[in-house]
Amino acid sequence: MDNCIFCKIIKRELPSNVIYEDDTTISFLDISPANKGHALVISKNHFTNIFDVPGLEFINLSKTVHTIAKAIKEATKADGLNIFLNNEKAAGQIVFHIHYHIIPRYNTDGIQFKWPNKKYEHNESIDYCERIKKCLVK
Ligand code: AMP
Ligand code: ZN
């Protein structure tokens, strides 16, 4: 993808702090970290997000996230980690090349990723459950 900043990072046309690379994935530091050590894990092939990435590529991404998460926790002495995958603008995606965020967290860092704790009415949860089950890929 010609205009994709992450494809440019893969091709070394843009600078980045690369942590790890294998045949299908690469991990580098986020340029504007939530906490220092915040890293991204991306596929080397260009996919937009969860909705177009093939299963095998997603497995490869997940394996790299698993590896990098443990290294970041140890290196940053974090108390915990958040792992995010933003999909589409409505969910906060800004760079449209699939990427996981791995964010070191500390008991006292004051960062709050909070959502409203909505409530299901009556049998609404059953309805949602059934609607989603019907859409599962066979
Ligand atoms: P998202 O909102 O999930 O699309 O997040 C995109 C992330 O990419 C943000 O956290 C940015 O700080 C990060 N980012 C954008 N450009 C670069 C870059 N050149 N190098 C490293 N991280 C970047
Ligand atoms: Zn790309």
Side-chain angles (χ1 to χ4, degrees):
M1 270 290 211
D2 288 348
N3 274 336
C4 172
I5 51 173
F6 287 176
C7 284
K8 287 183 178 164
I9 285 174
I10 293 163
K11 289 186 274 180
R12 304 312 201 260
E13 291 171 10
L14 279 179
S16 70
N17 297 108
V18 174
I19 297 168
Y20 171 86
E21 180 168 17
D22 61 26
D23 288 347
T24 59
T25 65
I26 182 166
S27 178
F28 52 91
L29 292 181
D30 194 296
I31 203 167
S32 309
N35 274 324
K36 291 173 185 172
H38 174 171
L40 304 175
V41 176
I42 75 174
S43 59
K44 283 192 170 173
N45 288 323
H46 180 95
F47 302 105
T48 305
N49 54 36
I50 190 85
F51 301 117
D52 65 344
V53 68
L56 187 57
E57 295 267 3
F58 193 62
I59 289 169
N60 292 335
L61 261 185
S62 303
K63 280 171 74 175
T64 301
V65 168
H66 190 236
T67 303
I68 301 302
K70 288 182 284 187
I72 289 178
K73 182 162 187 302
E74 186 178 341
T76 60
K77 299 186 172 45
D79 300 312
L81 288 178
N82 285 115
I83 297 175
F84 288 131
L85 179 57
N86 297 328
N87 300 282
E88 300 295 352
K89 188 166 170 248
Q93 185 173 10
I94 293 168
V95 177
F96 290 90
H97 179 131
I98 190 167
H99 55 280
Y100 273 101
H101 292 261
I102 305 178
I103 302 174
R105 296 297 309 279
Y106 301 90
N107 293 326
T108 55
D109 67 19
I111 297 172
Q112 294 199 334
F113 300 111
K114 276 190 132 353
W115 53 80
N117 295 110
K118 297 188 176 172
K119 300 259 184 287
Y120 288 106
E121 311 279 341
H122 312 295
N123 290 330
E124 222 182 1
S125 61
I126 298 170
D127 179 43
Y128 270 85
C129 189
E130 291 308 315
R131 278 162 57 184
I132 295 166
K133 278 158 69 177
K134 277 190 195 143
C135 292
L136 285 174
V137 179
K138 304 286 181 309

